[in-house]
Amino acid sequence: MPGTQGQVMGDSEIIGTLKALRSEMFDLLSQVAGKGAAAGRPSRRTMDYEAYRRTFEAYSAKIDDCYRRLAACYAQIDRVYRTNPNSPLYKPMTQAYLDAKAVFDNLKSTFNAIEPPDTLRTEAVAVADRRLNERIATSARTSSLPPAPAEAAKDIIESDDSRFIGNFDSVEMFLLVKGDMACYVMFGWKEVTTDDTGKSSEQFHLSVVRSEMFPFTPAVRALSPAQHLENALKLKIAAVDAQGEVLSNLSEFFARTKSYTRVN
């Protein structure tokens, strides 16, 4: 913005600069808050890791720039106070600053509520622990797996946050958070079948199951993958009706979630 990087501005120019900055920050606030047609709020459930990181860092840089320009205007007002405190525009320029500062504070607090991208992405966990696979396979073969609510697939995709826990045998396990509650979602399981000649073969099923909900506490957030597995095995699980386009949408969602973990 012209006139804010050390140049001396006229009193009316200070007011105009602050009003323009306030308007710009309002637009940025709408984007960060996810409002309006230009909504661009960073979302882990709709962006892969790199897209999320780039978007987050771009907003952070814009907000830092707004702060620098706001501080430069404050310095200009301070100069007027020291050199010409009787200026008839002193009170209007002070009010313009306070109005802009209020928008900036709202913008900063809204952005601070967004989780930053992980600075260190952990290794994907792959464990040859068959218990989760066997539980899902047994439930599927005996039809003892109760159905999840019809909106379960939509709830998964629209979760507030999602974390890939690891691959246990052939089952990919994710932790999903909705408000102050969480659940585990498991994708895929393996079945060993024997044909008439006695030859065994493995058959993979791209099925989705979901655990019952439980409180998402700091203790749950701190669990290791092995502890998440033990926790999941204690919970009731239900089959999610996911076929065709619904299964494709869930598969894409799981792929985005896995992009936050480095898979070697």
Side-chain angles (χ1 to χ4, degrees), residues 1 12-26 70 73 92-93 95-97 99-100 103:
M1 180 178 296
S12 60
E13 188 180 0
I14 294 173
I15 295 174
T17 297
L18 283 166
K19 287 183 176 179
L21 178 58
R22 180 175 180 269
S23 178
E24 182 181 335
M25 290 189 297
F26 253 133
L70 190 63
C73 286
M93 72 176 68
Q95 188 59 54
Y97 171 79
D99 291 344
V103 175

Side-chain angles (χ1 to χ4, degrees), residues 170-220:
S170 62
V171 180
E172 294 181 348
M173 185 165 72
F174 302 83
L175 175 69
L176 270 60
V177 180
K178 189 83 169 181
D180 58 358
M181 300 296 287
C183 71
Y184 295 108
V185 173
M186 282 71 79
F187 181 48
W189 57 280
K190 178 175 61 179
E191 183 178 21
V192 179
T193 59
T194 304
D195 60 21
D196 295 339
T197 65
K199 182 180 179 180
S200 296
S201 61
E202 293 181 344
Q203 182 177 2
F204 290 88
H205 300 267
L206 296 180
S207 301
V208 181
V209 299
R210 190 189 72 175
S211 79
E212 60 185 311
M213 302 294 290
F214 55 89
F216 183 58
T217 64
V220 171

Side-chain angles (χ1 to χ4, degrees), residues 84-178:
N84 186 23
N86 295 320
S87 169
L89 294 180
Y90 177 71
K91 285 187 177 179
M93 72 176 68
T94 300
Q95 188 59 54
Y97 171 79
L98 293 174
D99 291 344
K101 180 64 163 55
V103 175
F104 175 81
D105 289 343
N106 191 2
L107 171 62
K108 184 68 173 177
S109 63
T110 300
F111 182 71
N112 285 345
I114 299 174
E115 183 179 11
D118 300 327
T119 54
L120 178 63
R121 291 152 66 193
T122 57
E123 299 290 346
V125 175
V127 181
D129 190 315
R130 299 185 56 85
R131 290 177 296 165
L132 195 57
N133 184 87
E134 290 174 352
R135 179 177 176 187
I136 297 172
T138 300
S139 298
R141 284 196 299 267
T142 61
S143 299
S144 64
L145 203 61
E151 66 276 9
K154 182 173 182 288
D155 286 345
I156 291 171
I157 293 175
E158 295 183 354
S159 59
D160 296 333
D161 194 14
S162 54
R163 303 277 176 171
F164 178 49
I165 302 302
N167 190 313
F168 299 92
D169 195 16
S170 62
V171 180
E172 294 181 348
M173 185 165 72
F174 302 83
L175 175 69
L176 270 60
V177 180
K178 189 83 169 181

